[in-house]
Amino acid sequence: MSSGQDASAGLHVYDVLARAFAQEGVTTCFALLGDANMNWATRLAEHGCRMIYVRHEHCAVAAAMAFARKSGKVGVATVTCGPGLTQIMTALPAAVRARLPLVIFAGEAPLKSGWYNQAINQAPFVAATGADYHSLHWPERMPLAVRDAFLQARRERRPVVLGVPFDLQELSWTGGERLPRPARTFMPRLSPIPPHPDGVAHAAAIVGCARRIVVMAGLGAVEAGAGPACRLLAERCDALLATTLPARGLFHDDAFSLGIAGGFSSEMARACFAEADLVVAVGCSLAHHNSDGGKLWPNASVLQIDIDPATVSQGRVAANSHLRADARLGAEALVAALPPRAAEWRSTALAERLRTTPPDSEPFEVEPGLHDPRDVVAALEAALPADWQLVNSSGHCSYFFAHMPSRPYERFLTIREFGAIGNGISFAMGVAAACPDSTVVLFDGDGSLLMHVQELDTIRRHGLPILIVVMNDGAFGSEVHKLRAEGLSESGAVFGRADLAAIARGFGLGGDTVRDLAALPEMVARFSAQDGAALWDVPVSDRVTSPVIRRTHPPRRRGVS
Ligand SMILES: Cc1ncc(C[n+]2csc(CCOP(=O)(O)OP(=O)(O)O)c2C)c(N)n1
Ligand SMILES: [Mg+2]
């Protein structure tokens, strides 16, 4: 190239689009290729971005969700136009509900042809999910539009989908050499919002009048680093601690932690919440499930500390008073404003009961050769190393897996705001990509696993160190338990126990059936000593019904109205 020649000469628009993504600091992209994204994706890989090539587009976006939650970065995925885009209609709303920032590079059908078989009006699909969609049809502005997508995803904490017609991507680039400055240089530098003194005084007066207080933290508290301030606040006002399900584990080692607040609450947590007269909700959006639809704390009012407080949340009055502030600064200011009080609720006896009472003590008869899910979780809790990253999935079994008392927030992922099954493998892949030095353990149900079992191949191809533990009840357990309670036939939800270990081996992973829980420590040692991924199929009884189902679907006697 002669000196003075434009370095961008000979480039295609897709080359520059790939550069624009690379300079946004994208280091991992979950991808499934087609005509409308493969040139771009191949160039992005050449910029040093790690590409994880999945086998279903849904899984690309779902993996990007877990990657975003775990890394704190914008998750990036790519799908082709038309059928590639329509495959991600379950992952997008899940990301919207979980407020996860994603940028998805989707192609679009070519503009130049009068007809194209994969053409579909993509924008309404994406709009229906709550994500935003931008059609990029002016090549010279595309790098700016990429930068703006990253800014928007971060600021609005939701997915932004970019549709770029692939004939435009193939055009020669004529926009010059310089790319816009990346989004991170435009991000406003935001200081945490301190509370107003009036708000603190009002909140302190409310706390001062309460006798039985629970300090409950959500993801807002996690993000603000408010965990220690919440612990101090609880100590100061003789309160117990709890978290929302997504923030589970934030107080795992606190003697006065009730664990999860919500439908998944333990027996002890329910009993204590029933006594509470005030819940101080720190950095919580007060979702419906968090209060078990209002049933968890029937006698308590709610004081919400949040940068965006609300009275009504998800269709119910969720908070009665508010302190607008950053979660940490709000909790700290409240501690400073409260006089110390004597510990009454926080007794040694209560701490002992919290430590020793099982989450659910209902007895069940279990068939020979099958495990009680609660025993499985207890055995895993004891056998799995403390530094492994754990990922929970969905379905009936997820209640049991959620109760692993020693596992802190930083090493336990829960994303389930949209309530979809089938995400476990993708979430585990996203965590494995975000935490490359960690072993990842996925807890899943057989139905959820089999919904996207093709990703076992992705795990093997990319050498992701994932151990999948499946509670195999041979069924869509949630449906079985509900149909049974209703007195209806469960045959539409009972499929029998597939040999999941053999399936995993067929994909080139390790595969074992766990007949004896006492063998788990030795199995963990063997898994640790080798490279690669494995699946453990744990046959469990479908007779053990979680307290969630027992409460929401008490057995009905047939013929009795
Ligand atoms: C995408 C999607 N399809 C269907 C459902 C309904 N559903 C909820 S739980 C569940 C069963 C999941 O089965 P499995 O993963 O084996 O877990 P189990 O309930 O048996 O423990 C189903 C089908 C859903 N939540 N999401
Ligand atoms: Mg099942």
Side-chain angles (χ1 to χ4, degrees), residues 397 445-448 471-478:
C397 57
D446 52 317
S448 176
M471 281 215 202
N472 189 351
D473 60 356
F476 286 149
S478 278

Short mmCIF file of all heavy atoms in Angstrom, two decimals, residues 397 445-448 471-478, ligand 2:
data_model
loop_
_atom_site.label_atom_id
_atom_site.label_comp_id
_atom_site.label_asym_id
_atom_site.label_seq_id
_atom_site.Cartn_x
_atom_site.Cartn_y
_atom_site.Cartn_z
N CYS A 397 -37.46 -28.90 40.60
CA CYS A 397 -36.21 -29.21 41.30
C CYS A 397 -35.44 -27.96 41.73
O CYS A 397 -34.61 -28.02 42.64
CB CYS A 397 -35.32 -30.10 40.44
SG CYS A 397 -34.94 -29.38 38.84
N GLY A 445 -33.16 -29.76 35.68
CA GLY A 445 -34.14 -30.85 35.63
C GLY A 445 -34.00 -31.57 34.30
O GLY A 445 -33.45 -31.02 33.34
N ASP A 446 -34.53 -32.79 34.22
CA ASP A 446 -34.41 -33.57 32.97
C ASP A 446 -35.18 -32.88 31.83
O ASP A 446 -34.70 -32.83 30.69
CB ASP A 446 -34.90 -35.00 33.17
CG ASP A 446 -36.30 -35.08 33.78
OD1 ASP A 446 -36.59 -34.32 34.73
OD2 ASP A 446 -37.11 -35.90 33.31
N GLY A 447 -36.35 -32.32 32.14
CA GLY A 447 -37.13 -31.68 31.08
C GLY A 447 -36.43 -30.44 30.54
O GLY A 447 -36.34 -30.23 29.32
N SER A 448 -35.90 -29.64 31.43
CA SER A 448 -35.20 -28.42 31.03
C SER A 448 -33.95 -28.78 30.23
O SER A 448 -33.68 -28.19 29.18
CB SER A 448 -34.84 -27.63 32.29
OG SER A 448 -34.08 -26.50 31.97
N MET A 471 -31.48 -33.57 38.26
CA MET A 471 -32.46 -34.31 39.06
C MET A 471 -33.46 -34.88 38.07
O MET A 471 -34.27 -34.16 37.51
CB MET A 471 -33.18 -33.38 40.03
CG MET A 471 -32.36 -33.08 41.24
SD MET A 471 -33.43 -32.92 42.66
CE MET A 471 -32.38 -31.94 43.72
N ASN A 472 -33.34 -36.18 37.90
CA ASN A 472 -34.13 -36.84 36.86
C ASN A 472 -35.34 -37.54 37.48
O ASN A 472 -35.21 -38.62 38.05
CB ASN A 472 -33.22 -37.84 36.13
CG ASN A 472 -33.88 -38.41 34.89
OD1 ASN A 472 -35.08 -38.17 34.65
ND2 ASN A 472 -33.12 -39.15 34.10
N ASP A 473 -36.49 -36.88 37.37
CA ASP A 473 -37.72 -37.53 37.85
C ASP A 473 -38.50 -38.10 36.67
O ASP A 473 -39.67 -38.49 36.80
CB ASP A 473 -38.59 -36.54 38.65
CG ASP A 473 -39.01 -35.34 37.84
OD1 ASP A 473 -38.59 -35.23 36.67
OD2 ASP A 473 -39.78 -34.50 38.36
N GLY A 474 -37.88 -38.11 35.49
CA GLY A 474 -38.52 -38.68 34.32
C GLY A 474 -39.77 -37.93 33.91
O GLY A 474 -40.69 -38.51 33.32
N ALA A 475 -39.79 -36.64 34.21
CA ALA A 475 -41.07 -35.92 34.02
C ALA A 475 -40.86 -34.42 34.03
O ALA A 475 -39.82 -33.91 34.46
CB ALA A 475 -42.02 -36.28 35.17
N PHE A 476 -41.88 -33.73 33.55
CA PHE A 476 -42.02 -32.31 33.86
C PHE A 476 -42.65 -32.28 35.25
O PHE A 476 -43.87 -32.27 35.42
CB PHE A 476 -42.95 -31.64 32.84
CG PHE A 476 -42.34 -31.41 31.48
CD1 PHE A 476 -43.12 -31.42 30.34
CD2 PHE A 476 -40.98 -31.15 31.33
CE1 PHE A 476 -42.57 -31.18 29.08
CE2 PHE A 476 -40.42 -30.92 30.08
CZ PHE A 476 -41.21 -30.94 28.96
N GLY A 477 -41.77 -32.29 36.25
CA GLY A 477 -42.22 -32.47 37.62
C GLY A 477 -43.24 -31.43 38.08
O GLY A 477 -44.22 -31.76 38.74
N SER A 478 -42.99 -30.19 37.73
CA SER A 478 -43.92 -29.13 38.17
C SER A 478 -45.34 -29.48 37.75
O SER A 478 -46.29 -29.37 38.53
CB SER A 478 -43.56 -27.79 37.52
OG SER A 478 -42.53 -27.18 38.22
MG MG B 2 -38.11 -33.44 35.67
#
